Amino acid sequence: MQRRRALFLDADYAIRGGQTYARLFVKGKKSTRLHYLYDPYFYADVNEGERGAIENLSIKTREGQAVRPKRTEFVEKILFGDRKRLLRIYCHEPRHVPILREAIPFPCYESEIPFGRRFMMDMGLVPFSVISYEREGRTIKKFLGSRDGNPFMLRRFSFDTEVYNPLGAPRPSKDPIIMFSYSDSEGARGVVTFKKDHKPFVEVVENEKQMLERFFSIMDERDADVLFGYNTTNFDLPYMYERAKKLGIPLALGRDGSPYRLVRKGLINPLEIRGRIHIDLYPVMKFFGFTGLIRTDDYTLKNVYSTVTGKTATKIDRLDIWRQWDSNDISTLTDYALSDALATMELGEMAFPLLTELSTITRMPLFDVAYATSGQLVESLLMSEATARGMVIPPKPSGSAVSARLENPIQGAYVKLPAPGIYENIVVFDFRGLYPSIICSYNIDPFTIDREGDFNKSPTGANFLKSPKGLIPIVLDNLIDRRVLIKRELKAAKKDTEEYKKLSARSHALKILANSFYGYLGYARSRWYNRKCAESVTAWGRMHIMEAEEKANAAGFKVLYMDTDSLFLLLDGKTREDALHFLANINKELPEKMELELEGFYSRGVFVSKKAEEKGAKKKYALLGDDGRVKIRGFELVRRDWSGVAKDTQRRVLEAILRDGSKDKAVAIVREVVEQLRSGKVPLDNLAIYTQLKKEPDKYDIVSPELSAALKARKKGKTMERGSIVGYVITKKGKSISEKAEILEFAPDYDPDYYINHQVLPAVMKILKELGADEYELTHGGRQKGMGDFF
């Protein structure tokens, strides 16, 4: 018997000699798989008299195999808030679980949980913990304990491919991969190709076949544990697979020489590589955008890299790749290829701390975290916590239940719209984590509703027990408290140190999870969905923000705007000390975890109106803070479906008004942009409009500009499918806007009139009309006689 320890990463299962073994993926001196004898099981709500019938079940499969329970035992669990004696039914193999479940005419539970996750939860195994164990050969006989581990002991490896593309989009049946580039966490970097280039980082082989084989061997030589790629799920790996098949060689990506395996996860179907953790950074960056960690509309590698790092990667027109290859001078091309691998590595290294923190907190393996939604992360955490507390995990809802939930939406937050205009001396207050704090303060949980005892009565009429605490408030409370402590440690830590980066990643991870609980309670596919809970959260939110409004009016403040958890007040003769005194009085009366915080004092703000309406638009304002920073919410510059030139012009106009209070400067900015557009001086990159295809291109009924551009691109050989981000430009050729639309890389020119009248002017007129400007003044240099405002 040997005692060993290793970094735990993931688990699945293997069948050996008719027995089910948990198969653990661990990293010690090298990566390996270990086995632990463990039987799959599920629960049935039956009495003692029905146990014998279940034990004697024998179900014949289509293959003629007899499926029987291995053994059974009664255990006490907490089922939907009540203690219950349930029959645990052990099976010989995981695939027997659904077969036996279907044959049992009683309520069954936890029958659809993947075996690897089942094992991890039961054993309390946390990704990136160091586990100690006794083993014989590759079989673990006994677990001895665990402690926190260091995920950075894993070797990270990025890669990218360049493909011959004479028709624009490459054809895997004909067009070869012409080079691979790579970089890793140990400092190695290089390009492998089969044309001569004398740079020191370029390795030249004989042909494409040797290049593929060399790439596989480099991954093994570099002991790659984590593979970073960018859009590798949709392009690089499937293309590599087709080329390997064409060349008659195995796609040896895994440590055992295996290819990848498609894993179905809703809209994202990631590719799993055995023995390595494949992280496609494209969906990761989109998730970061969704959670507000990055702000961009264009999720191409080059743009995300520039947005996140502030640096610019080497650029090349992708349509010129095949020409440069054919010219035999591939010097620029190898620089470009290496630049992509280095950019991917840098993005991966920036994302890795947050992903590993999410993995550790939620107990979800890193591969799954990289492709998870915020709701799936919350669910993983709740499943682990429920198991640790002896609670039965609620089942997934049926399709009909999901449909019924979707047809019955929950009333949202309270909003008081502002009168449009420009204001001075504004104070903004925010409820800190409003919905999470409400859930904790009022013990909102599906299994604390309408039970006997002392309760909190929701504005909707639902009653929530004050004690004992429900699972969701317990878990959420812990996340909130942990983040408070982390934020204190962050203030004391020195920036740019490893400690600071780790604490920052953990803080972000805790924030993402805490802010996702309310959405998960009201998510139609949630295991812990509960309409009464979700609508009570928003009802209490409306109650508290409206009470704050009443108290602000009573204290002599003018309420400018309110939305969900924010309160905007005009000082209007009041002092900042008055505002802080008002804040202190509010907080004295709030329950438990709830707190109103000072978001900031602002010297000037702009609130715009909706078209043809008098009241201001929800979350559409810009503020100038004491520190000189401009805070912008809801304007087109943070929307994907507006061009860069429109967003940039709007931002500059807002800053001119807020910083300088100058209408003339704002008008001059617009005139300058209009003239640049008319003269053809605006780069095409700044004119692209980005949107996502929600369906396959041939499934749309109406031809929109983005669809028209996508269909044209398809004819030229470019891959366009559901989920693709389409960046298109409105060109001069065509009668309608849709006819004029071309994707950015195929656009020869642009239509200046479209960008002036349908992009720039609509983006700024809602702001400038508050200062008395009109369209004619912006485009012709003076007001037209007798002409009213544009709106």
Side-chain angles (χ1 to χ4, degrees):
M1 195 85 70
Q2 296 175 319
R3 288 194 172 197
R4 293 285 186 270
R5 62 174 180 265
L7 189 73
F8 173 72
L9 302 175
D10 199 353
D12 57 9
Y13 73 93
I15 307 298
R16 302 194 311 183
Q19 298 268 48
T20 297
Y21 285 82
R23 185 167 55 183
L24 289 75
F25 178 27
V26 300
K27 171 82 173 185
K29 291 182 179 178
K30 60 181 182 178
S31 294
T32 190
R33 293 277 188 179
L34 302 175
H35 297 84
Y36 183 80
L37 186 63
Y38 202 77
D39 292 327
Y41 65 86
F42 65 104
Y43 298 104
D45 187 0
V46 300
N47 58 43
E48 185 68 50
E50 291 143 350
R51 179 179 184 177
I54 290 175
E55 289 182 332
N56 291 325
L57 273 174
S58 180
I59 311 299
K60 278 281 181 74
T61 66
R62 290 179 181 177
E63 297 80 20
Q65 181 187 13
V67 174
R68 303 182 181 90
K70 188 172 185 178
R71 67 182 190 281
T72 67
E73 65 177 346
F74 275 102
V75 294
E76 189 175 272
K77 305 290 289 184
I78 300 172
L79 178 65
F80 305 149
D82 296 314
R83 293 201 170 274
K84 185 84 174 180
R85 199 163 176 258
L86 299 175
L87 185 67
R88 181 182 284 165
I89 303 166
Y90 292 94
C91 305
H92 290 86
E93 298 182 21
R95 66 189 181 93
H96 293 174
V97 170
I99 296 172
L100 290 171
R101 175 202 61 202
E102 290 299 320
I104 296 174
F106 302 103
C108 294
Y109 303 99
E110 298 195 3
S111 60
E112 84 287 20
I113 297 171
F115 179 85
R117 298 302 307 283
R118 164 89 284 160
F119 172 72
M120 288 174 60
M121 291 188 297
D122 286 352
M123 304 300 291
L125 293 174
V126 178
F128 305 115
S129 61
V130 174
I131 57 173
S132 301
Y133 49 86
E134 292 180 348
R135 78 179 200 194
E136 287 183 358
R138 296 292 176 189
T139 301
I140 295 175
K141 294 298 184 179
K142 184 179 180 181
F143 285 100
L144 303 174
S146 66
R147 58 177 173 80
D148 291 345
N150 177 19
F152 285 89
M153 70 177 287
L154 298 179
R155 290 177 178 252
R156 285 89 64 205
F157 182 96
S158 73
F159 70 100
D160 189 57
T161 61
E162 303 305 333
V163 178
Y164 191 69
N165 59 341
L167 297 184
R171 302 157 295 177
S173 61
K174 294 183 178 181
D175 298 325
I177 298 171
I178 55 178
M179 60 184 67
F180 282 101
S181 54
Y182 66 90
S183 173
D184 78 1
S185 52
E186 305 297 310
R189 58 182 63 185
V191 173
V192 184
T193 186
F194 49 96
K195 275 194 177 179
K196 286 187 178 180
D197 186 29
H198 297 293
K199 294 191 182 73
F201 60 80
V202 177
E203 179 179 347
V204 181
V205 295
E206 290 295 320
N207 51 42
E208 183 189 10
K209 180 181 177 181
Q210 284 190 14
M211 183 183 68
L212 273 167
E213 292 172 334
R214 177 62 184 136
F215 178 69
F216 303 148
S217 68
I218 289 172
M219 281 198 296
D220 287 334
E221 289 168 11
R222 300 307 305 169
D223 192 23
D225 297 306
V226 179
L227 300 183
F228 292 135
Y230 205 91
N231 202 30
T232 42
T233 297
N234 295 322
F235 180 74
D236 299 74
L237 291 179
Y239 203 95
M240 203 184 300
Y241 174 81
E242 292 297 329
R243 292 308 299 166
K245 186 167 66 172
K246 181 81 174 176
L247 295 167
I249 59 174
L251 186 68
L253 294 168
R255 277 200 160 93
D256 59 355
S258 61
Y260 57 73
R261 181 176 72 93
L262 179 69
V263 180
R264 302 204 174 275
K265 291 182 179 289
L267 289 177
I268 302 173
N269 296 320
L271 304 178
E272 186 178 54
I273 298 172
R274 186 169 294 175
R276 310 188 200 276
I277 303 169
H278 168 225
I279 298 179
D280 186 342
L281 291 167
Y282 175 62
V284 170
M285 292 301 143
K286 291 185 72 176
F287 176 75
F288 286 179
F290 172 77
T291 57
L293 289 176
I294 62 174
R295 291 186 177 274
T296 183
D297 298 324
D298 177 5
Y299 285 93
T300 58
L301 172 61
K302 296 290 190 292
N303 186 70
V304 170
Y305 178 72
S306 176
T307 300
V308 172
T309 68
K311 297 182 283 189
T312 302
T314 302
K315 290 185 178 181
I316 192 173
D317 188 339
R318 297 195 73 85
L319 296 177
D320 284 339
I321 289 176
W322 69 276
R323 293 190 183 94
Q324 293 199 26
W325 179 257
D326 283 352
S327 74
N328 291 322
D329 180 5
I330 63 168
S331 178
T332 302
L333 205 52
T334 52
D335 283 340
Y336 169 76
L338 183 62
S339 173
D340 275 2
L342 294 174
T344 301
M345 189 67 198
E346 195 166 348
L347 286 178
E349 291 290 74
M350 295 178 76
F352 191 67
L354 178 53
L355 294 176
T356 54
E357 287 294 339
L358 285 170
S359 177
T360 300
I361 296 168
T362 64
R363 282 77 147 177
M364 181 183 279
L366 180 59
F367 174 76
D368 295 321
V369 165
Y371 307 98
T373 64
S374 56
Q376 289 167 338
L377 293 171
V378 168
E379 185 163 279
S380 176
L381 176 56
L382 288 175
M383 287 170 65
S384 294
E385 293 290 345
T387 300
R389 288 172 169 77
M391 298 176 177
V392 173
I393 297 168
K396 289 182 178 180
S398 65
S400 58
V402 170
S403 298
R405 293 171 181 180
L406 290 171
E407 291 172 3
N408 195 13
I410 293 161
Q411 183 181 351
Y414 173 70
V415 178
K416 174 187 173 69
L417 295 176
I422 299 170
Y423 299 88
E424 296 190 350
N425 297 322
I426 303 165
V427 59
V428 180
F429 298 113
D430 280 329
F431 280 99
R432 177 174 59 84
L434 178 63
Y435 288 167
S437 65
I438 286 174
I439 291 170
C440 293
S441 295
Y442 294 108
N443 200 27
I444 298 176
D445 186 274
F447 308 123
T448 62
I449 298 175
D450 299 335
R451 292 173 175 267
E452 291 185 6
D454 192 14
F455 56 79
N456 297 305
K457 192 173 190 66
S458 158
T460 66
N463 298 322
F464 295 89
L465 281 178
K466 292 183 177 179
S467 64
K469 283 284 188 183
L471 176 68
I472 287 176
I474 287 172
V475 175
L476 188 49
D477 211 12
N478 178 258
L479 294 178
I480 293 170
D481 287 347
R482 285 171 67 184
R483 186 160 187 257
V484 169
L485 293 174
I486 293 293
K487 289 176 77 174
R488 288 177 189 164
E489 292 179 44
L490 262 174
K491 287 182 179 179
K494 291 184 179 179
K495 288 189 176 182
D496 299 324
T497 62
E498 289 304 315
E499 180 191 11
Y500 185 90
K501 291 176 184 176
K502 183 176 181 179
L503 290 171
S504 179
R506 187 166 296 171
S507 177
H508 281 303
L510 292 167
K511 180 179 180 180
I512 288 169
L513 291 169
N515 288 341
S516 301
F517 270 74
Y518 161 70
Y520 181 71
L521 276 172
Y523 174 51
R525 299 184 185 279
S526 164
R527 292 176 185 268
W528 273 270
Y529 171 91
N530 188 281
R531 181 179 176 79
K532 286 186 177 181
C533 287
E535 65 185 5
S536 291
V537 173
T538 56
W540 259 309
R542 292 190 299 273
M543 183 190 82
H544 282 293
I545 195 76
M546 291 169 75
E547 285 179 351
E549 179 185 23
E550 291 176 7
K551 291 173 182 176
N553 288 328
F557 292 96
K558 182 176 179 181
V559 179
L560 172 63
Y561 172 49
M562 294 164 54
D563 185 2
T564 310
D565 59 355
S566 300
L567 180 67
F568 292 60
L569 306 179
L570 295 176
L571 290 179
D572 252 4
K574 292 278 187 181
T575 65
R576 295 189 174 193
E577 288 71 24
D578 293 332
L580 296 175
H581 182 68
F582 163 77
L583 176 66
N585 286 337
I586 289 280
N587 283 325
K588 285 178 185 176
E589 300 177 14
L590 288 174
E592 255 189 84
K593 292 281 180 180
M594 295 192 66
E595 182 182 356
L596 189 65
E597 295 182 315
L598 173 67
E599 198 275 330
F601 290 101
Y602 297 91
S603 57
R604 188 176 289 124
V606 177
F607 293 78
V608 305
S609 63
K610 295 179 180 177
K611 192 173 182 179
E613 293 182 17
E614 301 227 341
K615 293 206 171 178
K618 179 182 177 183
K619 285 189 179 177
K620 199 160 189 178
Y621 58 85
L623 302 168
L624 178 65
D626 279 354
D627 57 1
R629 294 182 183 179
V630 174
K631 178 179 180 178
I632 298 172
R633 292 291 181 271
F635 284 99
E636 282 74 12
L637 60 90
V638 294
R639 282 177 48 187
R640 174 183 290 157
D641 55 347
W642 285 77
S643 62
V645 68
K647 297 174 187 177
D648 182 61
T649 305
Q650 188 184 74
R651 177 185 55 77
R652 292 171 63 198
V653 164
L654 285 169
E655 290 184 351
I657 294 170
L658 292 172
R659 295 187 192 282
D660 307 315
S662 173
K663 169 197 167 183
D664 292 340
K665 184 173 180 179
V667 168
I669 288 169
V670 180
R671 287 181 190 157
E672 177 191 3
V673 173
V674 167
E675 180 55 36
Q676 287 177 340
L677 282 165
R678 284 176 176 160
S679 63
K681 294 179 180 178
V682 178
L684 289 175
D685 283 355
N686 207 23
L687 298 168
I689 301 164
Y690 292 91
T691 191
Q692 186 176 31
L693 295 178
K694 301 296 184 183
K695 299 185 285 187
E696 292 295 335
D698 53 5
K699 299 294 184 183
Y700 284 87
D701 297 323
I702 300 173
V703 180
S704 59
E706 63 269 21
L707 179 60
S708 175
L711 291 172
K712 291 175 192 174
R714 260 191 170 186
K715 289 181 180 179
K716 295 177 181 178
K718 187 171 181 65
T719 301
M720 285 287 169
E721 56 192 13
R722 184 178 75 158
S724 294
I725 302 294
V726 181
Y728 65 92
V729 174
I730 303 303
T731 66
K732 294 178 180 178
K733 186 178 179 181
K735 294 180 180 178
S736 68
I737 298 300
S738 291
E739 287 179 9
K740 292 180 176 184
E742 293 277 1
I743 67 167
L744 176 59
E745 63 187 88
F746 296 149
D749 52 34
Y750 67 87
D751 179 355
D753 289 338
Y754 170 82
Y755 285 96
I756 292 168
N757 296 313
H758 296 280
Q759 288 281 313
V760 172
L761 291 182
V764 299
M765 280 309 302
K766 289 182 182 180
I767 305 162
L768 290 176
K769 76 169 188 174
E770 306 300 341
L771 301 177
D774 65 14
E775 179 186 12
Y776 191 86
E777 182 179 6
L778 296 176
T779 57
H780 293 81
R783 290 184 69 86
Q784 186 178 18
K785 188 175 181 181
M787 181 177 179
D789 284 348
F790 184 57
F791 291 99

